[in-house]
Amino acid sequence: GAGVSQSPSNKVTEKGKDVELRCDPISGHTALYWYRQSLGQGLEFLIYFQGNSAPDKSGLPSDRFSAERTGGSVSTLTIQRTQQEDSAVYLCASSLVGYSNQPQHFGDGTRLSIL
Amino acid sequence: ELKVEQNPLFLSMQEGKNYTIYCNYSTTSDRLYWYRQDPGKSLESLFVLLSNGAVKQEGRLMASLDTKARLSTLHITAAVHDLSATYFCAVEGNNNDMRFGAGTRLTVKP
């Protein structure tokens, strides 16, 4: 596609439910990143994929968070047993090659609200 | 742990004035990025700075990097209203991570 695509754009769910967020990176981009942005705050790095593998998962806030990437393309971020503090905008970005001189291209984000 | 600090966090400028936003970081890195975010929108890449002494300019914005001082600056020349946005710097860490500053919310007033 022309840019990074994220879905859904908005998600409202009850506390305790599981949610799955999807990111479709730019075609040909091998690197994919997930971030979380709380209202009026900067970006919190969550995880980075080079191809299908994530070298370091320590940025994930808790064991309720998991992420996977298949086929070197689409990635999903799953939050289990959601809590109110999980409410934020979840941003996905991709770049041609991870951590090189290439800037990251960001999607429009998924705005997650936990009631 | 890599920490990135931006200042100021809020900046209100008159049109036509100049100002500089500062980005300090705590550990060695030679890859620094500047992004712009408009309200309700995602981030747009402005500059990629890859070496000590790197300077890049686009329109009224100029970014520089001093890796020895662990400092990058984003200089705004003759500000115009269209530059109103939040500006983020981001630094690559050594552990496959990317750390962002808290952002500088710039408002340019007529």
Side-chain angles (χ1 to χ4, degrees), chain B residues 2-8 20-34 49-56 62-75 89-91 104:
Chain B
L2 174 59
K3 294 187 187 305
V4 180
E5 290 186 359
Q6 275 182 249
N7 69 84
T20 300
I21 299 171
Y22 297 88
C23 176
N24 292 275
Y25 54 98
S26 61
T27 64
T28 302
S29 176
D30 56 5
R31 298 185 191 280
L32 190 139
Y33 305 80
W34 283 96
L49 301 169
L50 301 175
S51 61
N52 187 41
V55 177
K56 291 197 174 178
M62 183 172 72
S64 66
L65 177 62
D66 181 343
T67 58
K68 293 179 181 176
R70 298 176 186 168
L71 170 69
S72 179
T73 60
L74 180 66
H75 187 72
C89 65
V91 180
T104 297

Side-chain angles (χ1 to χ4, degrees), chain A residues 33 35 37 40-43 45 48 55-56 59 91-92 98-109 111, chain B residues 10 31 33 35 37 40-48 50 88 92-93 95-103 105:
Chain A
Y33 313 78
Y35 298 90
Q37 186 175 31
Q41 302 295 311
L43 275 71
F45 171 83
Y48 152 67
D56 186 350
L91 290 166
C92 174
Y99 297 110
S100 64
N101 60 350
Q102 303 294 321
Q104 296 177 18
H105 299 264
F106 282 81
D108 289 336
R111 187 175 300 274
Chain B
F10 297 92
R31 298 185 191 280
Y33 305 80
Y35 292 89
Q37 186 177 36
K41 304 289 187 181
S42 194
L43 279 77
E44 172 193 351
S45 175
L46 293 175
F47 299 109
V48 179
L50 301 175
F88 291 96
E92 283 188 24
N95 298 315
N96 295 300
D97 61 344
M98 182 78 81
R99 302 292 171 182
F100 279 72
R105 186 173 299 179

Side-chain angles (χ1 to χ4, degrees), chain A residues 1-5 24-31 69 72-74 94-96:
Chain A
V4 177
S5 177
D24 211 330
I26 292 173
S27 178
H29 281 194
T30 63
R69 188 179 185 196
S73 181
V74 172
S94 71
S95 64
L96 266 175

